[in-house]
Amino acid sequence: MPVPFCKFSPKAVGSVFPGVITTTQSFDREKQREYTLSVTATDQAQEPLIGVCQVTVLIADVNDNDPKFENSRYQFAEPLDFETTKFFTLIVRAQNVAMTPLASFTTVCVNVTDVNDNVPFFVSSNYEVSVPEGADVGTSVVQVLATDLDSGLHGEVHYLILKDASEDYQFFTIEPETGIISTRASFDREKRASYLIEVQSQDSSESARPGVHGQPNTDTAYVRIFVSDVNDNAPAFPRSVYEVSVDEDREVGSPVVTATAEDEDEGANAKLRYQITSGNARGVFDVEPDVGTVFIAQPLDYEQEQHYELRLVASDGKWENHTLIIINVVNKNDEAPVFTQNEYQGSVLEELTDLPVLVLKAVHDVY
Ligand SMILES: [Ca+2]
Ligand SMILES: [Ca+2]
Ligand SMILES: [Ca+2]
Ligand SMILES: [Ca+2]
């Protein structure tokens, strides 16, 4: 068989002709470990004799090869998380065991693919907001916010209002993209002072979380909407007329009547001040401005005035209303009789019997 790697060089050493086989190129044991040569010896006689022998050449190993990487499988010791690390570069070193070890390096790039494993959580699970009563339909009330750590559709959040038994949901609307909640009605605090709705956030692809089959990830939050007061109610007295009788000898400071007005608003919008605006001749009466109690401010005098008609006004600072307070002064016989003269003179006839001697006139209650 032809061996292109060797040459055979016969050389005469005395009467012996040894053959020397030398290599014509280098060998690679990793490609072929041994070669078999057939060596033929021929003498130079007229009729030459031929000798044949087989030579097997074993290629000895030397540490001449770096370790080679092939398609390998790498296992991660911990679960990957796109949200933590999106891209890994691994430098892998392989080294053989030898007196003079040889090493190879390769770079493994790992792109982590995002899955929808994060819930769009609301930044607050309870919102408390207020809207003034009487505000126009379409007034924005609050913007809710949910954040989702995923990328793309996995993290794109939409909002909706859940329909519940209370039916408060029907008074509000939410923009799916922005989470802005607006009114669909105008409210009256005096009828109803608060509403409660439940809002939901959802991402925009199927969840990769266990147990959520084919659905997006969701979260919910409550939004309590308080209707804040506006001063839209005037004070109102329960009666348009109060009529009372007062003895003329009642002490100054005595209460005569309390006329309390009602105001359906709250707080400052229902804080009333009372005032007597007419009918109060000589300032005989006054009113406690916070409570509406009319009291005697000057001594009453039946002889001077027997009848008062006071106009009592209650005001909340914006609206007012009034009532009529009729006070009848009752005459009291509380003055000692006083003689009209200090000295009385009269003459008596001696014949008269059973006739008045003198008429003494006294007048009651001069003052
Ligand atoms: Ca993710
Ligand atoms: Ca998500
Ligand atoms: Ca009011
Ligand atoms: Ca009000």
Side-chain angles (χ1 to χ4, degrees):
M1 115 181 166
V3 180
F5 312 108
C6 319
K7 68 177 182 185
F8 185 65
S9 316
K11 259 188 185 167
V13 180
S15 59
V16 181
F17 297 89
V20 177
I21 299 170
T22 57
T23 61
T24 58
Q25 66 170 71
S26 63
F27 295 90
D28 185 351
R29 185 175 182 273
E30 282 68 36
K31 284 197 179 118
Q32 190 167 342
R33 287 168 174 261
E34 63 177 61
Y35 297 85
T36 304
L37 313 176
S38 185
V39 181
T40 306
T42 311
D43 62 19
Q44 294 177 354
Q46 271 311 89
E47 292 178 13
L49 295 171
I50 295 171
V52 178
C53 76
Q54 299 284 326
V55 178
T56 298
V57 182
L58 297 173
I59 310 297
D61 191 23
V62 293
N63 189 14
D64 59 347
N65 265 339
D66 297 347
K68 288 281 185 296
F69 287 92
E70 294 171 4
N71 285 334
S72 304
R73 295 180 68 84
Y74 302 95
Q75 281 194 331
F76 290 92
E78 289 179 17
L80 297 178
D81 184 10
F82 176 84
E83 283 72 40
T84 309
T85 312
K86 297 174 174 54
F87 185 82
F88 291 94
T89 305
L90 309 176
I91 311 264
V92 183
R93 179 174 194 259
Q95 181 178 308
N96 59 12
V97 181
M99 284 292 288
T100 310
L102 292 170
S104 256
F105 295 87
T106 193
T107 304
V108 178
C109 297
V110 181
N111 284 310
V112 181
T113 308
D114 191 22
V115 296
N116 190 6
D117 59 344
N118 283 282
V119 173
F121 284 119
F122 279 103
V123 297
S124 171
S125 57
N126 279 292
Y127 290 83
E128 287 196 350
V129 297
S130 68
V131 62
E133 60 174 327
D136 291 341
V137 170
T139 300
S140 68
V141 168
V142 67
Q143 181 172 23
V144 294
L145 177 66
T147 55
D148 190 312
L149 295 175
D150 297 321
S151 64
L153 289 177
H154 301 326
E156 196 175 297
V157 184
H158 289 91
Y159 304 91
L160 55 103
I161 297 174
L162 295 176
K163 297 182 176 178
D164 58 359
S166 82
E167 301 195 338
D168 285 4
Y169 66 87
Q170 63 193 333
F171 301 116
F172 300 93
T173 180
I174 192 166
E175 268 185 42
E177 289 83 20
T178 62
I180 294 174
I181 296 173
S182 306
T183 61
R184 294 181 69 189
S186 187
F187 302 111
D188 182 357
R189 190 205 64 87
E190 282 73 59
K191 285 209 180 92
R192 192 153 168 218
S194 82
Y195 296 83
L196 181 67
I197 58 173
E198 192 176 9
V199 292
Q200 187 183 68
S201 63
Q202 53 177 241
D203 52 27
S204 305
S205 63
E206 286 186 17
S207 174
R209 297 171 71 85
V212 191
H213 305 293
Q215 298 294 315
N217 296 307
T218 62
D219 188 29
T220 58
Y222 285 103
V223 181
R224 167 77 66 185
I225 301 109
F226 292 100
V227 180
S228 61
D229 190 39
V230 167
N231 192 357
D232 56 353
N233 286 279
F237 286 98
R239 291 157 63 181
S240 58
V241 178
Y242 294 78
E243 184 159 10
V244 290
S245 295
V246 182
D247 293 343
E248 62 170 332
D249 58 357
R250 287 280 293 279
E251 285 176 16
V252 168
S254 300
V256 173
V257 63
T258 297
T260 304
E262 315 263 303
D263 189 315
E264 290 183 33
D265 299 319
E266 68 171 359
N269 296 334
K271 173 84 178 139
L272 303 184
R273 303 282 294 177
Y274 296 87
Q275 229 182 337
I276 299 168
T277 59
S278 68
N280 191 16
R282 295 185 298 114
V284 169
F285 298 100
D286 203 350
V287 64
E288 288 181 26
D290 294 334
V291 288
T293 300
V294 175
F295 61 91
I296 300 167
Q298 302 286 337
L300 298 176
D301 184 356
Y302 175 83
E303 281 64 36
Q304 200 155 46
E305 191 72 61
Q306 294 96 45
H307 183 80
Y308 293 88
E309 291 192 0
L310 307 179
R311 183 184 169 96
L312 181 67
V313 170
S315 168
D316 64 8
K318 182 179 181 186
W319 310 100
E320 62 176 38
N321 230 317
H322 65 270
T323 189
L324 186 65
I325 310 268
I326 297 174
I327 299 167
N328 297 303
V329 180
V330 178
N331 191 19
K332 296 299 278 188
N333 185 13
D334 55 353
E335 293 287 337
V338 176
F339 287 102
T340 53
Q341 293 171 235
N342 288 333
E343 199 174 309
Y344 295 84
Q345 289 186 350
S347 53
V348 180
L349 297 175
E350 58 184 343
E351 306 91 55
L352 292 177
T353 55
D354 300 331
L355 284 174
V357 172
L358 190 64
V359 177
L360 301 179
K361 284 179 72 184
V363 178
H364 291 284
D365 300 1
V366 175
Y367 303 104

